[in-house]
């Protein structure tokens, strides 16, 4: 069986349904021009494998840019991680309702502000106070388990982004005229796992741009940012991984330059019990893994050094996942600046929804789903 149905023109978007089981991961298809210098490095940070690749220019400049990016990502992890006990987020979690609040860095303030903004715009589908439930389920760790209903109920009472307070206090210190403060509700636990990698990817891209790097790829475990064009001097070709095939087999390719592409999926971290998959994306309304019909969500935005979109893409990928296909499509209809590829499973069939802003930049791989009548021509770029 190939494509079951192909609808176009629905809200100027289209849906392609295919029969195979699909999940999405992101990888880039590229190779440097012969003779062009390229420096690549893999590090483990923010709970994932981080791949940094820069091209063009002098070897020493590439080496130092890659080192600085690696150092910055590890520095941000030390601020944002809910697992490292001395991070700023863990300090808030240890005493969330501290009178007078906790003094936090400008970076943590900026990231928490964005997290609250996305919580508001997604009606709480993304909620940075989901931490107690994340810790309870411990999905992706050796302590993962199905908690008792009463335990879930208890953590549920701590989830509400509206209780987080952020403010700036003036000081008489000329060197440091304002300090940033944060507090949360009693018993609340912050978790920025759904947005922090995107923030780090933004920072990394900023560093590379400030060093004059014209071509770079950063992949933080599925949070992808490309700077400039590919080493071949063309748009990057970013593949959406076919889950049933070995790595490198994709069902679609997105063509983009200076862009952020973030994917959230159930296949990333999960355990299975009694035929049920318990995955790491929780529905804040229930304190349990989301029962969304979506299997994966990729969100794509321009990321050219102006608006810092990677963190926004990251939070939205998590939020759209929780919303499920129908609500996510309604959200995307209202937010034309956000491009996305939604993959759902319904009655054993896989449904792929692609926003119209991507239609010129995406090509579906007919071989991945033979017999399809999807768009297989790459005509433009994001
Ligand atoms: P992502 O892989 O970007 O979709 O983020 C998933 C991670 O974000 C999880 O491992 C949790 O740390 C956290 N998380 C899970 N569910 C939510 C949610 N609904 N809102 C905010 N963060 C979440
Ligand atoms: Mg996310």
């Amino acid at each position: 069986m190939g494509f079951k149905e192909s609808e176009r023109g629905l809200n100027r978007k289209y849906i392609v349904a295919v029969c195979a089981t699909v999940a999405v991961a992101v990888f880039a298809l590229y190779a440097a021009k012969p003779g062009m210098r390229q420096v690549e490095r893999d590090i483990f940070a923010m709970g994932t494998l981080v791949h940094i690749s820069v091209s063009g220019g002098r070897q020493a400049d590439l080496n130092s840019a890659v080192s600085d990016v690696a150092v910055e990502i590890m520095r941000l992890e030390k601020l944002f991680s809910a697992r490292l006990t001395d991070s700023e987020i863990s300090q808030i979690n240890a005493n969330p309702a501290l009178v007078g609040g906790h003094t936090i860095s400008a970076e943590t303030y900026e990231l928490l502000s964005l997290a609250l903004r996305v919580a508001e715009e997604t009606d709480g589908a993304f909620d940075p106070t989901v931490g107690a439930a994340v810790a309870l389920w411990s999905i992706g760790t050796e302590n993962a388990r199905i908690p008792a209903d009463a335990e879930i109920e208890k953590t549920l009472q701590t989830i509400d982004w509206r209780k987080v307070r952020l403010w700036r206090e003036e000081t008489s210190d000329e060197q440091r005229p304002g300090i940033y403060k944060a507090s949360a509700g009693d018993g609340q636990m912050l978790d920025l796992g759904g947005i922090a990698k995107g923030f780090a990817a933004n920072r990394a891209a900023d560093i590379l741009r400030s060093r004059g790097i014209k071509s770079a790829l950063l992949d933080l475990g599925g949070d992808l940012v490309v700077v400039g064009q590919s080493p071949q001097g063309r748009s990057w070709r970013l593949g959406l991984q076919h889950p049933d095939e070995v790595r490198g087999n994709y069902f679609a390719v997105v063509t983009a330059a200076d862009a952020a592409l973030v994917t959230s999926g159930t296949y990333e971290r999960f355990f299975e019990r009694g035929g049920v998959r318990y995955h790491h994306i929780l529905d804040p309304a229930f304190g349990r893994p989301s029962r969304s019909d979506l299997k994966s969500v990729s969100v794509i935005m321009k990321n050219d050094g102006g608006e810092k979109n990677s963190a926004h893409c990251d939070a939205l990928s998590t939020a759209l996942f929780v919303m499920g296909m129908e609500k996510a499509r309604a959200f995307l209809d209202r937010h034309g600046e956000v491009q996305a590829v939604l993959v759902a499973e319904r009655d054993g069939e896989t449904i792929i929804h692609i926003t119209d802003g991507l239609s010129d930049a995406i090509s579906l791989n007919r071989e991945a789903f033979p017999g399809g009548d999807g768009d297989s021509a790459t005509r433009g770029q994001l």
Side-chain angles (χ1 to χ4, degrees), residues 194 264 314-315 317-318:
S264 288
D314 194 356
S317 72
T318 309

Side-chain angles (χ1 to χ4, degrees), residues 124-130 134 139 191-195 197 221 223 262-265 268-269 280-284 314-315 317-319 321-322:
F126 180 87
D127 192 323
T129 65
V130 78
V134 172
I139 291 165
D191 182 307
L192 298 175
I195 188 171
K197 292 198 294 281
D223 278 49
V262 177
T263 299
S264 288
E268 285 175 35
R269 266 181 252 163
H280 73 307
I281 302 176
L282 306 182
D283 188 332
D314 194 356
S317 72
T318 309
F321 189 96
V322 170

Side-chain angles (χ1 to χ4, degrees), residues 10-154:
L10 195 66
N11 292 332
R12 292 172 50 241
K13 299 170 193 280
Y14 62 88
I15 300 171
V16 181
V18 294
C19 66
T21 303
V22 180
V24 187
V26 179
F27 63 97
L29 313 159
Y30 68 94
K33 274 184 197 157
M36 184 182 229
R37 283 193 190 83
Q38 186 167 28
V39 173
E40 295 185 85
R41 187 175 307 169
D42 289 323
I43 58 168
F44 192 81
M46 296 193 151
T48 194
L49 188 69
V50 175
H51 177 75
I52 309 161
S53 171
V54 297
S55 308
R58 295 185 345 179
Q59 184 78 34
D61 294 341
L62 296 179
N63 286 339
S64 89
V66 166
S67 292
D68 287 358
V69 163
V71 167
E72 176 67 355
I73 291 172
M74 291 188 282
R75 185 183 77 86
L76 293 175
E77 178 179 21
K78 290 199 179 102
L79 296 178
F80 303 149
S81 171
R83 272 166 301 157
L84 299 176
T85 47
D86 56 353
S87 73
E88 291 190 353
I89 293 303
S90 293
Q91 282 169 29
I92 298 172
N93 287 347
N95 189 3
L98 178 69
V99 177
H102 296 267
T103 301
I104 55 173
S105 60
E107 289 90 342
T108 301
Y109 182 87
E110 189 185 336
L111 182 55
L112 277 172
S113 305
L114 180 61
L116 295 179
R117 209 179 91 204
V118 179
E120 184 168 20
E121 81 177 348
T122 63
D123 232 349
F126 180 87
D127 192 323
T129 65
V130 78
V134 172
L136 180 65
W137 286 86
S138 293
I139 291 165
T141 77
E142 58 196 20
N143 303 322
R145 67 185 178 97
I146 304 172
D149 287 353
E151 293 176 290
I152 295 172
E153 188 52 41
K154 208 169 142 209

Side-chain angles (χ1 to χ4, degrees), residues 8 14 255 356 358-363 375-381:
R8 283 179 184 252
Y14 62 88
T255 313
D356 69 332
L358 271 185
S359 60
D360 284 349
I362 195 166
S363 62
D375 179 1
S376 61
T378 302
R379 294 186 300 261
Q381 70 170 56

Side-chain angles (χ1 to χ4, degrees), residues 2-8 14-18 22 24 29 237-242 249-255 340-343 350-355 358-379:
F3 290 86
K4 184 163 179 258
E5 66 182 275
S6 175
E7 296 170 25
R8 283 179 184 252
Y14 62 88
I15 300 171
V16 181
V18 294
V22 180
V24 187
L29 313 159
R237 289 163 49 76
L238 308 173
L240 304 184
Q241 170 73 36
H242 193 310
N249 286 277
Y250 50 91
F251 75 90
V253 174
V254 172
T255 313
V341 179
L342 309 177
V343 182
T350 300
I351 309 203
I352 306 174
H353 173 71
I354 303 164
T355 53
L358 271 185
S359 60
D360 284 349
I362 195 166
S363 62
L364 293 170
N365 180 3
R366 280 174 202 247
E367 282 173 23
F369 305 111
D373 59 353
D375 179 1
S376 61
T378 302
R379 294 186 300 261

